Each structure stands twice: as C-alpha cells, then as structure tokens.
Amino acid sequence: MNSQVEQLKEHFERYPSISNVEAQMVYKIRALPRRICDLKEQGYQFTREWKKDLTGQRYVRYFMVKE
C-alpha cells in the first residue's frame, strides 16, 4: 500500500486539485495540510483557494503548481 504522500502525488498526476473532504473520503487522509507540507518539503509547490460549498461552508482547495 502506498503512503499518503505517494497517494497524493498520484492524485496530482491525474487531477489538478484536492480538498480536505476529498482526501478524507477517497484516500483516508485525515491531515491534508500536513501531507501538503510533506510534499512542499520534497520541493513541490502549491497554491490554495478558499471556496464555499452549496451550504455556504468555506473550505480550502489545494492546487499543485506544475512546472
């Protein structure tokens, strides 16, 4: 089984972004900001955007910056 960081790398190869809820439901990642930090320490770059869902709840969506 791949580590959570490896799962995120594979995710960003296929998709441009991820939210905390997606990370929890799909990959069972409970601490997405920490895993994003782990990837940053490996040299990856990210931007983040605040969004609102249909109920008005705010959340962050992370985007990997492609070189």
Short mmCIF file of all heavy atoms in Angstrom, two decimals:
data_model
loop_
_atom_site.label_atom_id
_atom_site.label_comp_id
_atom_site.label_asym_id
_atom_site.label_seq_id
_atom_site.Cartn_x
_atom_site.Cartn_y
_atom_site.Cartn_z
N MET A 1 0.83 -1.19 0.00
CA MET A 1 0.00 0.00 0.00
C MET A 1 0.88 1.25 0.00
O MET A 1 1.88 1.32 0.70
CB MET A 1 -0.91 -0.01 1.23
CG MET A 1 -1.85 1.14 1.29
SD MET A 1 -2.98 0.91 2.67
CE MET A 1 -4.11 2.20 2.33
N ASN A 2 0.49 2.23 -0.80
CA ASN A 2 1.25 3.46 -0.90
C ASN A 2 1.04 4.33 0.33
O ASN A 2 -0.02 4.35 0.93
CB ASN A 2 0.82 4.26 -2.13
CG ASN A 2 1.26 3.62 -3.41
OD1 ASN A 2 2.15 2.78 -3.42
ND2 ASN A 2 0.66 4.02 -4.50
N SER A 3 2.07 5.11 0.65
CA SER A 3 1.93 6.06 1.74
C SER A 3 0.97 7.16 1.31
O SER A 3 0.68 7.34 0.12
CB SER A 3 3.29 6.66 2.10
OG SER A 3 3.71 7.55 1.08
N GLN A 4 0.50 7.93 2.26
CA GLN A 4 -0.42 9.01 1.95
C GLN A 4 0.23 10.04 1.03
O GLN A 4 -0.42 10.56 0.12
CB GLN A 4 -0.91 9.67 3.24
CG GLN A 4 -1.81 8.77 4.04
CD GLN A 4 -2.29 9.40 5.33
OE1 GLN A 4 -1.76 10.41 5.78
NE2 GLN A 4 -3.31 8.80 5.91
N VAL A 5 1.51 10.31 1.22
CA VAL A 5 2.21 11.26 0.36
C VAL A 5 2.27 10.72 -1.07
O VAL A 5 2.04 11.45 -2.02
CB VAL A 5 3.62 11.57 0.92
CG1 VAL A 5 4.45 12.37 -0.07
CG2 VAL A 5 3.51 12.30 2.25
N GLU A 6 2.56 9.44 -1.21
CA GLU A 6 2.60 8.83 -2.54
C GLU A 6 1.21 8.85 -3.19
O GLU A 6 1.08 9.09 -4.39
CB GLU A 6 3.12 7.39 -2.46
CG GLU A 6 4.58 7.29 -2.09
CD GLU A 6 5.50 7.96 -3.09
OE1 GLU A 6 5.26 7.87 -4.30
OE2 GLU A 6 6.46 8.61 -2.64
N GLN A 7 0.17 8.61 -2.40
CA GLN A 7 -1.19 8.68 -2.93
C GLN A 7 -1.50 10.08 -3.45
O GLN A 7 -2.12 10.23 -4.51
CB GLN A 7 -2.21 8.28 -1.86
CG GLN A 7 -2.19 6.81 -1.54
CD GLN A 7 -3.15 6.47 -0.41
OE1 GLN A 7 -3.33 7.24 0.53
NE2 GLN A 7 -3.78 5.32 -0.52
N LEU A 8 -1.07 11.10 -2.72
CA LEU A 8 -1.30 12.47 -3.17
C LEU A 8 -0.52 12.78 -4.44
O LEU A 8 -1.04 13.44 -5.34
CB LEU A 8 -0.92 13.46 -2.07
CG LEU A 8 -1.95 13.64 -0.97
CD1 LEU A 8 -1.42 14.59 0.10
CD2 LEU A 8 -3.27 14.15 -1.51
N LYS A 9 0.72 12.30 -4.55
CA LYS A 9 1.48 12.50 -5.78
C LYS A 9 0.74 11.90 -6.97
O LYS A 9 0.62 12.53 -8.02
CB LYS A 9 2.87 11.86 -5.67
CG LYS A 9 3.84 12.60 -4.81
CD LYS A 9 5.16 11.85 -4.81
CE LYS A 9 6.14 12.40 -3.83
NZ LYS A 9 7.40 11.62 -3.81
N GLU A 10 0.24 10.69 -6.80
CA GLU A 10 -0.51 10.04 -7.88
C GLU A 10 -1.80 10.81 -8.19
O GLU A 10 -2.18 10.93 -9.35
CB GLU A 10 -0.82 8.60 -7.50
CG GLU A 10 0.40 7.71 -7.47
CD GLU A 10 0.13 6.31 -6.96
OE1 GLU A 10 -1.05 5.94 -6.80
OE2 GLU A 10 1.11 5.59 -6.71
N HIS A 11 -2.46 11.31 -7.15
CA HIS A 11 -3.68 12.10 -7.36
C HIS A 11 -3.39 13.31 -8.24
O HIS A 11 -4.10 13.57 -9.20
CB HIS A 11 -4.26 12.56 -6.01
CG HIS A 11 -5.42 13.49 -6.16
ND1 HIS A 11 -6.71 13.04 -6.27
CD2 HIS A 11 -5.47 14.85 -6.26
CE1 HIS A 11 -7.51 14.08 -6.42
NE2 HIS A 11 -6.79 15.18 -6.40
N PHE A 12 -2.31 14.04 -7.91
CA PHE A 12 -2.00 15.26 -8.65
C PHE A 12 -1.48 14.98 -10.06
O PHE A 12 -1.45 15.88 -10.89
CB PHE A 12 -1.03 16.14 -7.86
CG PHE A 12 -1.68 16.87 -6.73
CD1 PHE A 12 -1.36 16.59 -5.41
CD2 PHE A 12 -2.66 17.84 -6.97
CE1 PHE A 12 -1.96 17.26 -4.36
CE2 PHE A 12 -3.28 18.51 -5.92
CZ PHE A 12 -2.93 18.23 -4.62
N GLU A 13 -1.08 13.76 -10.35
CA GLU A 13 -0.73 13.40 -11.72
C GLU A 13 -1.99 13.32 -12.58
O GLU A 13 -1.94 13.54 -13.79
CB GLU A 13 0.00 12.06 -11.77
CG GLU A 13 1.42 12.14 -11.23
CD GLU A 13 2.08 10.78 -11.16
OE1 GLU A 13 1.51 9.78 -11.66
OE2 GLU A 13 3.19 10.71 -10.60
N ARG A 14 -3.14 13.01 -11.96
CA ARG A 14 -4.40 12.84 -12.69
C ARG A 14 -5.34 14.03 -12.57
O ARG A 14 -6.12 14.29 -13.48
CB ARG A 14 -5.12 11.59 -12.21
CG ARG A 14 -4.42 10.30 -12.59
CD ARG A 14 -5.17 9.13 -12.03
NE ARG A 14 -5.04 9.21 -10.57
CZ ARG A 14 -5.16 8.21 -9.74
NH1 ARG A 14 -5.47 7.03 -10.19
NH2 ARG A 14 -5.00 8.36 -8.45
N TYR A 15 -5.31 14.71 -11.43
CA TYR A 15 -6.28 15.78 -11.15
C TYR A 15 -5.55 17.05 -10.74
O TYR A 15 -4.50 16.98 -10.11
CB TYR A 15 -7.23 15.35 -10.03
CG TYR A 15 -7.91 14.04 -10.29
CD1 TYR A 15 -7.48 12.88 -9.66
CD2 TYR A 15 -8.96 13.95 -11.20
CE1 TYR A 15 -8.10 11.67 -9.92
CE2 TYR A 15 -9.58 12.75 -11.46
CZ TYR A 15 -9.15 11.60 -10.81
OH TYR A 15 -9.74 10.40 -11.07
N PRO A 16 -6.13 18.22 -11.03
CA PRO A 16 -5.43 19.47 -10.72
C PRO A 16 -5.50 19.90 -9.26
O PRO A 16 -4.66 20.69 -8.83
CB PRO A 16 -6.15 20.49 -11.61
CG PRO A 16 -7.52 19.93 -11.79
CD PRO A 16 -7.35 18.43 -11.81
N SER A 17 -6.48 19.39 -8.50
CA SER A 17 -6.64 19.90 -7.14
C SER A 17 -7.30 18.84 -6.24
O SER A 17 -7.76 17.81 -6.70
CB SER A 17 -7.52 21.15 -7.15
OG SER A 17 -8.83 20.83 -7.55
N ILE A 18 -7.31 19.19 -4.92
CA ILE A 18 -7.95 18.32 -3.94
C ILE A 18 -8.41 19.17 -2.75
O ILE A 18 -7.80 20.19 -2.44
CB ILE A 18 -7.00 17.19 -3.47
CG1 ILE A 18 -7.77 16.11 -2.72
CG2 ILE A 18 -5.87 17.75 -2.63
CD1 ILE A 18 -6.99 14.83 -2.52
N SER A 19 -9.49 18.74 -2.12
CA SER A 19 -9.97 19.38 -0.90
C SER A 19 -9.79 18.40 0.26
O SER A 19 -9.57 17.20 0.06
CB SER A 19 -11.44 19.77 -1.02
OG SER A 19 -12.26 18.61 -1.01
N ASN A 20 -9.94 18.90 1.47
CA ASN A 20 -9.79 18.05 2.65
C ASN A 20 -10.84 16.94 2.67
O ASN A 20 -10.53 15.79 2.99
CB ASN A 20 -9.88 18.91 3.92
CG ASN A 20 -9.36 18.18 5.13
OD1 ASN A 20 -8.35 17.49 5.06
ND2 ASN A 20 -10.04 18.33 6.23
N VAL A 21 -12.08 17.27 2.30
CA VAL A 21 -13.15 16.27 2.29
C VAL A 21 -12.83 15.16 1.28
O VAL A 21 -13.00 13.98 1.58
CB VAL A 21 -14.52 16.92 2.01
CG1 VAL A 21 -15.59 15.86 1.79
CG2 VAL A 21 -14.91 17.84 3.14
N GLU A 22 -12.36 15.53 0.10
CA GLU A 22 -11.99 14.52 -0.90
C GLU A 22 -10.87 13.64 -0.39
O GLU A 22 -10.91 12.41 -0.55
CB GLU A 22 -11.55 15.21 -2.20
CG GLU A 22 -12.66 15.91 -2.92
CD GLU A 22 -12.17 16.82 -4.02
OE1 GLU A 22 -10.98 17.21 -4.02
OE2 GLU A 22 -13.00 17.15 -4.88
N ALA A 23 -9.85 14.26 0.22
CA ALA A 23 -8.73 13.49 0.74
C ALA A 23 -9.18 12.50 1.81
O ALA A 23 -8.72 11.36 1.84
CB ALA A 23 -7.67 14.43 1.31
N GLN A 24 -10.11 12.93 2.66
CA GLN A 24 -10.61 12.05 3.71
C GLN A 24 -11.43 10.89 3.14
O GLN A 24 -11.25 9.74 3.54
CB GLN A 24 -11.46 12.83 4.71
CG GLN A 24 -10.66 13.75 5.59
CD GLN A 24 -11.53 14.51 6.57
OE1 GLN A 24 -12.66 14.16 6.83
NE2 GLN A 24 -10.97 15.58 7.12
N MET A 25 -12.32 11.21 2.21
CA MET A 25 -13.22 10.18 1.69
C MET A 25 -12.53 9.20 0.74
O MET A 25 -12.77 8.00 0.81
CB MET A 25 -14.40 10.84 0.98
CG MET A 25 -15.30 11.60 1.94
SD MET A 25 -16.70 12.38 1.14
CE MET A 25 -17.65 10.96 0.66
N VAL A 26 -11.66 9.71 -0.12
CA VAL A 26 -11.05 8.86 -1.14
C VAL A 26 -9.81 8.15 -0.63
O VAL A 26 -9.63 6.96 -0.86
CB VAL A 26 -10.72 9.69 -2.41
CG1 VAL A 26 -10.00 8.84 -3.44
CG2 VAL A 26 -11.99 10.30 -2.99
N TYR A 27 -8.95 8.88 0.08
CA TYR A 27 -7.64 8.33 0.47
C TYR A 27 -7.49 8.08 1.97
O TYR A 27 -6.44 7.65 2.41
CB TYR A 27 -6.53 9.27 0.00
CG TYR A 27 -6.56 9.53 -1.48
CD1 TYR A 27 -6.93 10.77 -1.98
CD2 TYR A 27 -6.23 8.53 -2.39
CE1 TYR A 27 -6.96 11.02 -3.34
CE2 TYR A 27 -6.27 8.76 -3.76
CZ TYR A 27 -6.64 10.02 -4.22
OH TYR A 27 -6.67 10.25 -5.57
N LYS A 28 -8.53 8.41 2.75
CA LYS A 28 -8.47 8.25 4.21
C LYS A 28 -7.36 9.10 4.83
O LYS A 28 -6.77 8.74 5.84
CB LYS A 28 -8.29 6.77 4.62
CG LYS A 28 -9.30 5.83 4.01
CD LYS A 28 -10.68 6.11 4.50
CE LYS A 28 -11.66 5.06 4.01
NZ LYS A 28 -12.76 5.59 3.26
N ILE A 29 -7.07 10.24 4.21
CA ILE A 29 -6.08 11.18 4.73
C ILE A 29 -6.79 12.15 5.65
O ILE A 29 -7.64 12.92 5.21
CB ILE A 29 -5.38 11.93 3.57
CG1 ILE A 29 -4.58 10.95 2.71
CG2 ILE A 29 -4.47 13.03 4.14
CD1 ILE A 29 -4.01 11.56 1.45
N ARG A 30 -6.46 12.12 6.92
CA ARG A 30 -7.14 12.94 7.90
C ARG A 30 -6.45 14.28 8.13
O ARG A 30 -7.05 15.18 8.72
CB ARG A 30 -7.24 12.20 9.24
CG ARG A 30 -7.96 10.87 9.14
CD ARG A 30 -9.45 11.08 8.91
NE ARG A 30 -10.13 9.79 8.82
CZ ARG A 30 -10.92 9.45 7.82
NH1 ARG A 30 -11.15 10.27 6.83
NH2 ARG A 30 -11.49 8.27 7.81
N ALA A 31 -5.20 14.42 7.72
CA ALA A 31 -4.45 15.66 7.95
C ALA A 31 -3.86 16.14 6.62
O ALA A 31 -2.64 16.14 6.42
CB ALA A 31 -3.35 15.43 8.98
N LEU A 32 -4.72 16.57 5.71
CA LEU A 32 -4.26 17.00 4.39
C LEU A 32 -3.25 18.14 4.46
O LEU A 32 -2.22 18.07 3.77
CB LEU A 32 -5.44 17.38 3.50
CG LEU A 32 -5.08 17.84 2.09
CD1 LEU A 32 -4.33 16.75 1.32
CD2 LEU A 32 -6.32 18.29 1.34
N PRO A 33 -3.46 19.18 5.27
CA PRO A 33 -2.44 20.24 5.31
C PRO A 33 -1.05 19.73 5.69
O PRO A 33 -0.04 20.19 5.16
CB PRO A 33 -2.97 21.21 6.36
CG PRO A 33 -4.45 21.00 6.33
CD PRO A 33 -4.63 19.52 6.08
N ARG A 34 -0.98 18.75 6.57
CA ARG A 34 0.32 18.18 6.95
C ARG A 34 0.94 17.42 5.78
O ARG A 34 2.14 17.49 5.54
CB ARG A 34 0.13 17.25 8.15
CG ARG A 34 1.40 16.56 8.62
CD ARG A 34 2.42 17.56 9.13
NE ARG A 34 3.61 17.44 8.30
CZ ARG A 34 4.67 18.22 8.37
NH1 ARG A 34 4.72 19.21 9.22
NH2 ARG A 34 5.68 18.04 7.59
N ARG A 35 0.14 16.67 5.03
CA ARG A 35 0.66 15.93 3.87
C ARG A 35 1.10 16.89 2.77
O ARG A 35 2.09 16.65 2.09
CB ARG A 35 -0.38 14.96 3.33
CG ARG A 35 -0.87 13.89 4.31
CD ARG A 35 0.18 12.87 4.74
NE ARG A 35 1.17 13.30 5.68
CZ ARG A 35 1.02 13.35 7.01
NH1 ARG A 35 -0.09 12.97 7.57
NH2 ARG A 35 2.01 13.75 7.78
N ILE A 36 0.38 18.01 2.60
CA ILE A 36 0.78 19.03 1.63
C ILE A 36 2.14 19.60 2.06
O ILE A 36 3.03 19.81 1.24
CB ILE A 36 -0.28 20.14 1.51
CG1 ILE A 36 -1.58 19.59 0.92
CG2 ILE A 36 0.25 21.32 0.71
CD1 ILE A 36 -1.52 19.14 -0.52
N CYS A 37 2.31 19.83 3.36
CA CYS A 37 3.60 20.30 3.90
C CYS A 37 4.71 19.30 3.59
O CYS A 37 5.82 19.69 3.22
CB CYS A 37 3.50 20.48 5.41
SG CYS A 37 3.59 22.16 5.91
N ASP A 38 4.42 18.01 3.75
CA ASP A 38 5.41 16.97 3.44
C ASP A 38 5.84 17.06 1.98
O ASP A 38 7.03 16.94 1.66
CB ASP A 38 4.84 15.57 3.72
CG ASP A 38 4.60 15.32 5.19
OD1 ASP A 38 5.17 16.04 6.04
OD2 ASP A 38 3.82 14.38 5.50
N LEU A 39 4.87 17.29 1.09
CA LEU A 39 5.20 17.41 -0.33
C LEU A 39 6.00 18.69 -0.60
O LEU A 39 6.92 18.68 -1.43
CB LEU A 39 3.92 17.39 -1.18
CG LEU A 39 3.25 16.03 -1.32
CD1 LEU A 39 1.88 16.17 -1.96
CD2 LEU A 39 4.12 15.08 -2.13
N LYS A 40 5.67 19.77 0.08
CA LYS A 40 6.43 21.01 -0.07
C LYS A 40 7.89 20.80 0.33
O LYS A 40 8.80 21.32 -0.31
CB LYS A 40 5.82 22.13 0.76
CG LYS A 40 4.55 22.70 0.16
CD LYS A 40 4.02 23.81 1.07
CE LYS A 40 2.79 24.45 0.50
NZ LYS A 40 2.26 25.52 1.37
N GLU A 41 8.11 20.03 1.39
CA GLU A 41 9.47 19.73 1.85
C GLU A 41 10.24 18.93 0.80
O GLU A 41 11.46 18.96 0.78
CB GLU A 41 9.43 18.98 3.18
CG GLU A 41 9.01 19.85 4.34
CD GLU A 41 8.78 19.08 5.63
OE1 GLU A 41 8.97 17.84 5.65
OE2 GLU A 41 8.39 19.72 6.63
N GLN A 42 9.52 18.23 -0.07
CA GLN A 42 10.15 17.47 -1.15
C GLN A 42 10.34 18.32 -2.41
O GLN A 42 10.79 17.83 -3.43
CB GLN A 42 9.32 16.23 -1.50
CG GLN A 42 9.26 15.21 -0.40
CD GLN A 42 8.44 13.99 -0.79
OE1 GLN A 42 8.12 13.76 -1.95
NE2 GLN A 42 8.09 13.19 0.20
N GLY A 43 9.94 19.59 -2.34
CA GLY A 43 10.16 20.50 -3.45
C GLY A 43 8.95 20.82 -4.31
O GLY A 43 9.05 21.61 -5.25
N TYR A 44 7.81 20.24 -4.00
CA TYR A 44 6.60 20.53 -4.76
C TYR A 44 6.04 21.87 -4.32
O TYR A 44 6.21 22.27 -3.17
CB TYR A 44 5.55 19.43 -4.56
CG TYR A 44 5.96 18.11 -5.14
CD1 TYR A 44 6.63 17.17 -4.36
CD2 TYR A 44 5.69 17.79 -6.46
CE1 TYR A 44 7.03 15.94 -4.88
CE2 TYR A 44 6.07 16.57 -7.00
CZ TYR A 44 6.74 15.65 -6.20
OH TYR A 44 7.13 14.45 -6.73
N GLN A 45 5.36 22.55 -5.24
CA GLN A 45 4.77 23.85 -4.93
C GLN A 45 3.26 23.78 -5.07
O GLN A 45 2.74 23.08 -5.96
CB GLN A 45 5.32 24.92 -5.86
CG GLN A 45 6.80 25.16 -5.67
CD GLN A 45 7.31 26.23 -6.62
OE1 GLN A 45 6.64 26.63 -7.56
NE2 GLN A 45 8.51 26.71 -6.35
N PHE A 46 2.57 24.53 -4.22
CA PHE A 46 1.11 24.52 -4.20
C PHE A 46 0.57 25.93 -4.08
O PHE A 46 1.21 26.82 -3.52
CB PHE A 46 0.59 23.71 -3.01
CG PHE A 46 0.88 22.25 -3.11
CD1 PHE A 46 2.08 21.74 -2.66
CD2 PHE A 46 -0.04 21.39 -3.68
CE1 PHE A 46 2.36 20.39 -2.77
CE2 PHE A 46 0.24 20.05 -3.80
CZ PHE A 46 1.44 19.55 -3.35
N THR A 47 -0.63 26.11 -4.61
CA THR A 47 -1.44 27.28 -4.30
C THR A 47 -2.70 26.75 -3.65
O THR A 47 -3.01 25.55 -3.74
CB THR A 47 -1.81 28.08 -5.56
OG1 THR A 47 -2.55 27.26 -6.45
CG2 THR A 47 -0.58 28.62 -6.25
N ARG A 48 -3.41 27.62 -2.98
CA ARG A 48 -4.66 27.19 -2.37
C ARG A 48 -5.71 28.27 -2.58
O ARG A 48 -5.37 29.46 -2.68
CB ARG A 48 -4.50 26.86 -0.90
CG ARG A 48 -4.09 27.99 -0.04
CD ARG A 48 -3.86 27.54 1.37
NE ARG A 48 -3.70 28.75 2.20
CZ ARG A 48 -3.81 28.77 3.48
NH1 ARG A 48 -4.07 27.67 4.13
NH2 ARG A 48 -3.67 29.88 4.14
N GLU A 49 -6.94 27.85 -2.68
CA GLU A 49 -8.06 28.76 -2.89
C GLU A 49 -9.14 28.46 -1.87
O GLU A 49 -9.47 27.30 -1.65
CB GLU A 49 -8.67 28.51 -4.28
CG GLU A 49 -8.21 29.42 -5.35
CD GLU A 49 -8.92 29.12 -6.66
OE1 GLU A 49 -10.16 28.93 -6.67
OE2 GLU A 49 -8.21 29.06 -7.67
N TRP A 50 -9.68 29.52 -1.28
CA TRP A 50 -10.84 29.35 -0.42
C TRP A 50 -12.08 29.28 -1.30
O TRP A 50 -12.24 30.08 -2.22
CB TRP A 50 -10.96 30.52 0.55
CG TRP A 50 -9.99 30.41 1.69
CD1 TRP A 50 -8.78 31.02 1.78
CD2 TRP A 50 -10.15 29.64 2.86
NE1 TRP A 50 -8.16 30.68 2.96
CE2 TRP A 50 -9.00 29.82 3.65
CE3 TRP A 50 -11.15 28.80 3.35
CZ2 TRP A 50 -8.81 29.21 4.88
CZ3 TRP A 50 -10.97 28.19 4.58
CH2 TRP A 50 -9.82 28.40 5.32
N LYS A 51 -12.94 28.31 -1.03
CA LYS A 51 -14.18 28.11 -1.77
C LYS A 51 -15.33 28.02 -0.78
O LYS A 51 -15.11 27.89 0.42
CB LYS A 51 -14.13 26.80 -2.57
CG LYS A 51 -13.00 26.70 -3.57
CD LYS A 51 -13.38 27.40 -4.82
CE LYS A 51 -12.39 27.07 -5.93
NZ LYS A 51 -12.83 27.57 -7.20
N LYS A 52 -16.55 28.05 -1.30
CA LYS A 52 -17.74 27.80 -0.49
C LYS A 52 -18.54 26.69 -1.15
O LYS A 52 -18.73 26.68 -2.36
CB LYS A 52 -18.63 29.05 -0.42
CG LYS A 52 -18.15 30.08 0.55
CD LYS A 52 -19.17 31.17 0.72
CE LYS A 52 -18.66 32.24 1.65
NZ LYS A 52 -19.64 33.32 1.81
N ASP A 53 -19.03 25.75 -0.33
CA ASP A 53 -19.88 24.69 -0.88
C ASP A 53 -21.32 25.19 -0.97
O ASP A 53 -21.61 26.36 -0.69
CB ASP A 53 -19.76 23.40 -0.07
CG ASP A 53 -20.30 23.51 1.35
OD1 ASP A 53 -21.01 24.49 1.66
OD2 ASP A 53 -20.02 22.61 2.16
N LEU A 54 -22.22 24.34 -1.37
CA LEU A 54 -23.61 24.74 -1.58
C LEU A 54 -24.31 25.20 -0.31
O LEU A 54 -25.28 25.94 -0.36
CB LEU A 54 -24.39 23.59 -2.22
CG LEU A 54 -23.94 23.20 -3.62
CD1 LEU A 54 -24.69 21.96 -4.09
CD2 LEU A 54 -24.13 24.34 -4.59
N THR A 55 -23.80 24.78 0.84
CA THR A 55 -24.40 25.20 2.11
C THR A 55 -23.78 26.48 2.65
O THR A 55 -24.19 26.98 3.70
CB THR A 55 -24.25 24.10 3.18
OG1 THR A 55 -22.86 23.95 3.50
CG2 THR A 55 -24.81 22.77 2.70
N GLY A 56 -22.77 27.00 1.96
CA GLY A 56 -22.09 28.20 2.41
C GLY A 56 -20.86 27.93 3.27
O GLY A 56 -20.19 28.85 3.70
N GLN A 57 -20.57 26.66 3.52
CA GLN A 57 -19.40 26.28 4.32
C GLN A 57 -18.13 26.56 3.52
O GLN A 57 -18.02 26.17 2.36
CB GLN A 57 -19.48 24.80 4.68
CG GLN A 57 -18.34 24.30 5.53
CD GLN A 57 -18.40 24.82 6.95
OE1 GLN A 57 -19.47 24.95 7.51
NE2 GLN A 57 -17.26 25.10 7.52
N ARG A 58 -17.17 27.22 4.15
CA ARG A 58 -15.90 27.52 3.49
C ARG A 58 -14.93 26.34 3.62
O ARG A 58 -14.93 25.64 4.63
CB ARG A 58 -15.27 28.76 4.11
CG ARG A 58 -16.06 30.01 3.82
CD ARG A 58 -15.43 31.23 4.42
NE ARG A 58 -14.12 31.44 3.82
CZ ARG A 58 -13.13 32.11 4.38
NH1 ARG A 58 -13.28 32.64 5.57
NH2 ARG A 58 -11.97 32.25 3.77
N TYR A 59 -14.13 26.15 2.58
CA TYR A 59 -13.10 25.11 2.60
C TYR A 59 -11.95 25.53 1.70
O TYR A 59 -12.07 26.45 0.90
CB TYR A 59 -13.68 23.76 2.17
CG TYR A 59 -14.10 23.69 0.72
CD1 TYR A 59 -13.25 23.19 -0.24
CD2 TYR A 59 -15.36 24.13 0.32
CE1 TYR A 59 -13.64 23.13 -1.58
CE2 TYR A 59 -15.76 24.07 -1.00
CZ TYR A 59 -14.89 23.57 -1.95
OH TYR A 59 -15.27 23.51 -3.27
N VAL A 60 -10.83 24.85 1.84
CA VAL A 60 -9.64 25.15 1.03
C VAL A 60 -9.48 24.06 -0.02
O VAL A 60 -9.64 22.87 0.27
CB VAL A 60 -8.37 25.20 1.91
CG1 VAL A 60 -7.11 25.34 1.05
CG2 VAL A 60 -8.46 26.34 2.90
N ARG A 61 -9.15 24.48 -1.23
CA ARG A 61 -8.83 23.56 -2.32
C ARG A 61 -7.36 23.80 -2.67
O ARG A 61 -6.94 24.94 -2.90
CB ARG A 61 -9.72 23.80 -3.52
CG ARG A 61 -9.43 22.88 -4.67
CD ARG A 61 -10.57 22.85 -5.68
NE ARG A 61 -11.71 22.09 -5.18
CZ ARG A 61 -11.77 20.76 -5.16
NH1 ARG A 61 -10.77 20.03 -5.59
NH2 ARG A 61 -12.83 20.15 -4.71
N TYR A 62 -6.57 22.72 -2.65
CA TYR A 62 -5.12 22.80 -2.94
C TYR A 62 -4.88 22.45 -4.40
O TYR A 62 -5.41 21.47 -4.91
CB TYR A 62 -4.35 21.83 -2.05
CG TYR A 62 -4.40 22.19 -0.60
CD1 TYR A 62 -5.38 21.67 0.23
CD2 TYR A 62 -3.46 23.06 -0.05
CE1 TYR A 62 -5.43 22.01 1.58
CE2 TYR A 62 -3.50 23.40 1.29
CZ TYR A 62 -4.48 22.87 2.10
OH TYR A 62 -4.53 23.21 3.43
N PHE A 63 -4.02 23.25 -5.05
CA PHE A 63 -3.63 23.04 -6.44
C PHE A 63 -2.12 22.87 -6.49
O PHE A 63 -1.39 23.71 -5.96
CB PHE A 63 -4.00 24.25 -7.30
CG PHE A 63 -5.47 24.50 -7.41
CD1 PHE A 63 -6.15 25.21 -6.44
CD2 PHE A 63 -6.18 24.02 -8.51
CE1 PHE A 63 -7.50 25.45 -6.53
CE2 PHE A 63 -7.53 24.25 -8.62
CZ PHE A 63 -8.21 24.96 -7.62
N MET A 64 -1.64 21.81 -7.14
CA MET A 64 -0.21 21.65 -7.33
C MET A 64 0.20 22.53 -8.50
O MET A 64 -0.44 22.51 -9.55
CB MET A 64 0.17 20.19 -7.60
CG MET A 64 1.68 20.01 -7.75
SD MET A 64 2.14 18.31 -8.10
CE MET A 64 2.18 17.63 -6.46
N VAL A 65 1.28 23.27 -8.31
CA VAL A 65 1.81 24.14 -9.37
C VAL A 65 2.70 23.27 -10.25
O VAL A 65 3.69 22.72 -9.78
CB VAL A 65 2.61 25.32 -8.78
CG1 VAL A 65 3.23 26.15 -9.88
CG2 VAL A 65 1.71 26.14 -7.87
N LYS A 66 2.31 23.15 -11.51
CA LYS A 66 3.09 22.34 -12.47
C LYS A 66 4.18 23.21 -13.05
O LYS A 66 3.98 24.36 -13.38
CB LYS A 66 2.19 21.82 -13.60
CG LYS A 66 1.03 21.00 -13.12
CD LYS A 66 1.44 19.65 -12.69
CE LYS A 66 0.21 18.84 -12.33
NZ LYS A 66 0.47 17.53 -11.87
N GLU A 67 5.35 22.64 -13.18
CA GLU A 67 6.48 23.39 -13.76
C GLU A 67 6.49 23.24 -15.26
O GLU A 67 6.07 22.32 -15.82
CB GLU A 67 7.79 22.89 -13.16
CG GLU A 67 7.85 23.17 -11.68
CD GLU A 67 9.17 22.74 -11.08
OE1 GLU A 67 10.19 23.20 -11.59
OE2 GLU A 67 9.15 21.95 -10.14
#
